[in-house]
């Protein structure tokens, strides 16, 4: 049972390069999320998708774009990477937003921007 | 707005010691409260939750009680093990459709034998 799968797990970029983090879930969840985790800052929401066809900004959306490709997949794109985007990125999914249900997380993608 | 505040870490304990990690929240309405745990090199996973005032969530020997009067959801365990070493996150859901979970900054727990 795969759950939430993120790729790649590690990536090193140079400033100004672009890349896309991929996320797929196999639990038929409606809602998907992208968080970043930084030391001393905890987990901060970048973007989320409450349902297929919708996306909303979270706490720290600047410098990122997202695409909810279909119900299973939710990608995060960095158009022009900056050193401040060095972080560990987590994708998560849940049955729906705003409820009492569990969020299921991927294993994370560690991104370094030089 | 809604927010979650956790005690600063790291918390360092010896095996079999009692653990408390404090969490307080600010929210409108009737939020649900959660504790998530992140073991080294892994993503977060749900540890326990409580969906209304005075509910107690429990799992793996951990407990937390939803206290509306003190807006708190402190995590406790009577006797920690080395395997409990991890980062613990308190989180809040405000129950409104279209909104996402709000996390605290996390508390690192290190247990030595």
């Amino acid at each position: 049972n795969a759950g939430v799968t993120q790729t790649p797990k590690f990536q090193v970029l140079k400033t100004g390069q672009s890349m896309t983090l991929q996320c797929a879930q196999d639990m038929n969840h409606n809602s998907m999320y992208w968080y970043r985790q930084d030391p001393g800052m905890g987990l901060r929401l970048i973007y989320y998708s409450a349902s297929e066809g919708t996306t909303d900004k979270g706490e720290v959306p600047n410098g990122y774009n997202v695409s909810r490709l279909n119900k299973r997949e939710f990608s995060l794109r960095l158009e022009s990477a900056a050193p401040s985007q060095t972080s560990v990125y987590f994708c998560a999914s849940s049955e729906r937003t705003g409820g009492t249900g569990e969020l299921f997380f991927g294993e994370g993608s560690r991104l370094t921007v030089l | 707005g809604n927010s979650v505040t956790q005690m600063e870490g790291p918390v360092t304990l010896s095996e079999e010691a009692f653990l408390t990690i404090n969490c307080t929240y600010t929210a409108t309405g009737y939020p649900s409260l959660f504790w998530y745990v992140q073991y080294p090199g892994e993503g977060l996973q749900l540890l326990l939750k409580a969906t209304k005032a005075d509910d107690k969530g429990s799992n793996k020997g951990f407990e937390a009680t939803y206290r509306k009067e003190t807006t708190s959801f402190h995590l406790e365990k009577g006797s920690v093990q080395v395997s409990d070493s991890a980062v613990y996150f308190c989180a809040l859901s405000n129950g409104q459709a279209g909104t996402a979970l709000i996390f605290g900054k996390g508390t690192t727990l290190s247990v030595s034998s």
Side-chain angles (χ1 to χ4, degrees):
Chain A
N1 198 3
V4 178
T5 303
Q6 294 180 230
T7 55
K9 287 189 168 39
F10 301 93
Q11 183 73 49
V12 178
L13 292 177
K14 295 180 180 177
T15 297
Q17 289 185 318
S18 62
M19 77 158 297
T20 300
L21 297 176
Q22 307 284 357
C23 176
Q25 52 92 8
D26 63 2
M27 295 170 283
N28 200 35
H29 284 165
N30 292 301
S31 303
M32 298 184 73
Y33 314 81
W34 277 106
Y35 289 90
R36 60 177 289 175
Q37 183 178 25
D38 303 289
M41 302 298 293
L43 222 59
R44 294 181 293 171
L45 182 66
I46 305 171
Y47 271 94
Y48 66 103
S49 171
S51 60
E52 188 178 357
T54 70
T55 60
D56 285 286
K57 295 179 181 179
E59 181 184 356
V60 289
N62 290 346
Y64 304 95
N65 287 302
V66 291
S67 296
R68 184 74 183 266
L69 303 170
N70 48 55
K71 192 171 185 178
R72 288 187 67 248
E73 298 173 287
F74 188 41
S75 63
L76 178 72
R77 182 160 179 85
L78 287 70
E79 290 291 351
S80 179
S84 60
Q85 294 178 304
T86 294
S87 187
V88 181
Y89 292 85
F90 287 97
C91 179
S93 71
S94 66
E95 175 61 31
R96 61 184 178 90
T97 56
T100 61
E102 180 177 355
L103 255 67
F104 292 82
F105 284 81
E107 294 184 346
S109 299
R110 184 175 294 274
L111 174 66
T112 301
V113 183
L114 302 176
Chain B
N2 299 327
S3 66
V4 173
T5 303
Q6 288 181 238
M7 63 186 286
E8 296 279 339
V11 175
T12 304
L13 296 173
S14 298
E15 208 166 21
E16 299 183 2
F18 184 85
L19 169 71
T20 300
I21 300 178
N22 291 337
C23 172
T24 57
Y25 68 90
T26 302
T28 56
Y30 304 95
S32 295
L33 300 170
F34 306 80
W35 278 101
Y36 279 79
V37 59
Q38 183 183 30
Y39 298 105
E42 299 183 8
L44 281 71
Q45 56 185 275
L46 180 65
L47 180 60
L48 54 83
K49 69 179 182 182
T51 59
K52 61 183 186 297
D54 299 325
D55 266 3
K56 177 185 283 188
S58 61
N59 187 24
K60 299 181 181 180
F62 291 88
E63 294 182 339
T65 301
Y66 186 159
R67 302 281 188 204
K68 193 171 173 67
E69 64 275 13
T70 55
T71 62
S72 65
F73 192 55
H74 305 321
L75 183 68
E76 297 181 335
K77 187 174 186 183
S79 176
V80 294
Q81 305 300 312
V82 172
S83 57
D84 294 326
S85 298
V87 183
Y88 293 83
F89 291 89
C90 187
L92 173 155
S93 170
N94 66 11
Q96 297 175 1
T99 62
L101 209 60
I102 297 168
F103 286 89
K105 292 187 177 182
T107 303
T108 299
L109 170 65
S110 178
V111 180
S112 57
S113 58

